[in-house]
Amino acid sequence: QVQLVESGGGLVQPGGSLRLSCAASGSIFSINAMAWYRQAPGKERELVADITAGGHTNYADSVKGRFTIFRDNAKNTTYLQIYSLKPEDTAVYYCNANIVPIRSRYYGMDYWGKGTLVTVSS
């Protein structure tokens, strides 16, 4: 079965850095877009950044200049490099990917990881 697993979250002081990873595994034919979302307590889930299979990126205004999304297609993995963390970045970060299963070979389906918690506090 196709799965997404996030890692790299933790407790970081304001101004610190962190790198999140999201690895896709299973019977994968190809991966289209991959993305990072986050959800803070009491707030709706929001898109943080996304990246196409060809490497085109998009960012939320609140994270531009601090967050960088990239991917390693050979490893079916996407990363979110974060600098200058702020307390308002505290949230559960979720990985999302549109994946074409081997048995399909035509249409992609959305998959979600279970999330990794990032806490920014002094």
Side-chain angles (χ1 to χ4, degrees), residues 5 10 18 24 28 37-38 44 51 56 59 89 94 109 115 117:
V5 179
L18 205 62
I28 298 171
Y37 289 74
R38 69 184 181 186
E44 295 186 359
I51 183 169
H56 180 70
Y59 298 92
D89 293 321
Y94 296 92
M109 296 183 289
L117 178 62

Side-chain angles (χ1 to χ4, degrees), residues 85-109:
L85 278 161
K86 303 175 181 180
E88 49 263 46
D89 293 321
T90 296
V92 176
Y93 285 71
Y94 296 92
C95 180
N96 173 78
N98 188 267
I99 299 174
V100 181
I102 288 179
R103 61 184 179 182
S104 173
R105 298 183 182 272
Y106 296 103
Y107 304 104
M109 296 183 289

Side-chain angles (χ1 to χ4, degrees), residues 64-91:
K64 284 183 178 179
R66 299 188 299 119
F67 288 31
T68 300
I69 186 172
F70 58 101
R71 62 193 288 170
D72 184 339
N73 291 330
K75 296 182 178 180
N76 290 334
T77 300
T78 185
Y79 306 88
L80 188 67
Q81 180 66 53
I82 308 172
Y83 295 104
S84 302
L85 278 161
K86 303 175 181 180
E88 49 263 46
D89 293 321
T90 296

